[in-house]
Amino acid sequence: MSTPVPVPGRASSGGIAARARGLTKAYGSGETAVLALDAVDVDIARGRFTAVMGPSGSGKSTLMHCLAGLDTVSAGRVWIGDTEITGLRDRELTRLRRDRIGFMFQSFNLIPTLNALENITLPMDIAGRGPDAAWLDQVIDTLGLRNRLTHRPSELSGGQQQRVACARALASRPELIFADEPTGNLDSRAGLEVLGFLRDAVDNLGQTVVMVTHDPGAAAHSDLVLYLADGRIVDEREHPTAEAVLERMRLFAGGATRAAGPSLGTPLRGGDGTAVGEA
Ligand SMILES: Nc1ncnc2c1ncn2[C@@H]1O[C@H](COP(=O)(O)OP(=O)(O)OP(=O)(O)O)[C@@H](O)[C@H]1O
Ligand SMILES: [Mg+2]
């Protein structure tokens, strides 16, 4: 069955950074097939900070990868701005990703043989563009990486590696940033800094951020939370508070809010860093 597709460009596409219609992603086939995304329709508003939440396995990373053109779709259509990326040839897709999108992956995807600074500037080096030095300095200092720049990933802590991945995503000032659990491995101070940085990028630089998180406190930094369950967007909330997000997450089967390190919403943190209500 084909879903009616709004014509891109007619639906005020100036305000839409990314869009999907009928986005379906199946892994495997036959008995073992997994429907990771089940006909998802979504509009990601430009210049906003959108959080994506949902139980483990609900399709959050898959949604992000498909929206960003990192993974093929089984059915449906995806646009970045006015450009439909489903059906784009590899080379065009690679260029579009490189020029317009920044990623922070759930696994950091740092290159082990490059030092921190080389990892940060790698996408720009590949593109043959020099970084904006003042901006790069600001990113490096905000993320507290100044005295780690010559270290390789194996010489960095998990949190430092995550900050390098964050800096890499921000370094070229992409219009659209996809971040998959960017604070998952950070202590609460570093996590708050990363969130503050993403928030600033949206408020002051007009960037668009889509962030997957398991942390209600982190989601509270966003403008809008989308809730995924079983490959579908089942709910959303504007101007979320950590309390409201936690309450909504508890409604998911089995109360499946995975404890992913200390919550970044101070009101929800117990003395030992566990979210209140998880004990
Ligand atoms: N390469 C793959 N091959 C087969 N199944 C996959 C693959 N990648 C993901 N899946 C399945 O698709 C579903 C959605 O996975 P996805 O990684 O998007 O979940 P998620 O919401 O990001 O979970 P988490 O919170 O644990 O990161 C899961 O059932 C997962 O097992
Ligand atoms: Mg994931």
Side-chain angles (χ1 to χ4, degrees):
M1 194 192 80
S2 72
T3 351
V5 177
V7 180
R10 283 223 330 245
S12 70
S13 60
I16 303 294
R19 171 196 302 260
R21 289 292 178 272
L23 171 52
T24 300
K25 177 70 182 181
Y27 289 108
S29 57
E31 295 273 294
T32 58
V34 173
L35 193 56
L37 294 174
D38 186 3
V40 171
D41 293 343
V42 67
D43 291 338
I44 302 295
R46 199 183 292 282
R48 292 193 94 197
F49 189 165
T50 302
V52 179
M53 300 195 78
S56 181
S58 56
K60 304 180 295 297
S61 294
T62 306
L63 176 63
M64 190 165 285
H65 293 167
C66 289
L67 283 178
L70 285 167
D71 207 347
T72 56
V73 308
S74 305
R77 305 172 72 186
V78 177
W79 293 262
I80 295 291
D82 289 332
T83 311
E84 181 171 0
I85 62 168
T86 29
L88 222 52
R89 281 176 308 184
D90 274 353
R91 257 180 63 191
E92 298 167 315
L93 190 57
T94 303
R95 186 180 313 138
L96 179 140
R97 276 198 310 255
R98 189 189 68 196
D99 292 343
R100 297 171 64 180
I101 300 177
F103 302 100
M104 296 162 70
F105 295 97
Q106 197 165 6
S107 52
F108 316 126
N109 288 5
L110 299 179
I111 310 290
T113 53
L114 300 181
N115 71 29
L117 181 61
E118 291 162 344
N119 266 287
I120 292 168
T121 58
L122 181 64
M124 282 171 293
D125 293 341
I126 291 172
R129 276 192 315 232
D132 172 339
W135 170 252
L136 187 61
D137 273 345
Q138 192 187 334
V139 168
I140 287 167
D141 287 331
T142 305
L143 294 171
L145 290 167
R146 179 64 60 194
N147 58 13
R148 284 287 173 277
L149 291 178
T150 56
H151 293 255
R152 290 185 182 181
S154 60
E155 300 160 347
L156 299 171
S157 72
Q160 287 165 345
Q161 290 177 49
Q162 187 147 35
R163 280 181 276 154
V164 171
C166 179
R168 180 184 54 190
L170 293 164
S172 66
R173 280 201 205 201
E175 62 182 72
L176 183 52
I177 295 170
F178 289 101
D180 200 346
E181 301 200 44
T183 59
N185 294 289
L186 300 182
D187 63 37
S188 53
R189 192 186 62 86
L192 281 170
E193 276 173 14
V194 168
L195 290 166
F197 205 88
L198 293 175
R199 185 72 255 178
D200 268 3
V202 171
D203 291 342
N204 302 324
L205 299 167
Q207 282 172 309
T208 305
V209 173
V210 183
M211 173 184 76
V212 169
T213 182
H214 284 277
D215 180 353
H221 292 254
S222 73
D223 299 307
L224 174 74
V225 181
L226 303 175
Y227 296 98
L228 239 71
D230 298 328
R232 297 172 187 221
I233 294 176
V234 293
D235 203 356
E236 65 174 38
R237 183 175 188 107
E238 298 260 356
H239 311 301
T241 62
E243 290 82 356
V245 172
L246 185 61
E247 209 167 291
R248 181 63 187 81
M249 292 298 287
R250 284 204 181 110
L251 294 180
F252 286 114
T257 46
R258 195 181 80 184
S263 169
L264 295 169
T266 29
L268 290 171
R269 268 193 316 121
D272 59 353
T274 53
V276 171
E278 279 176 351

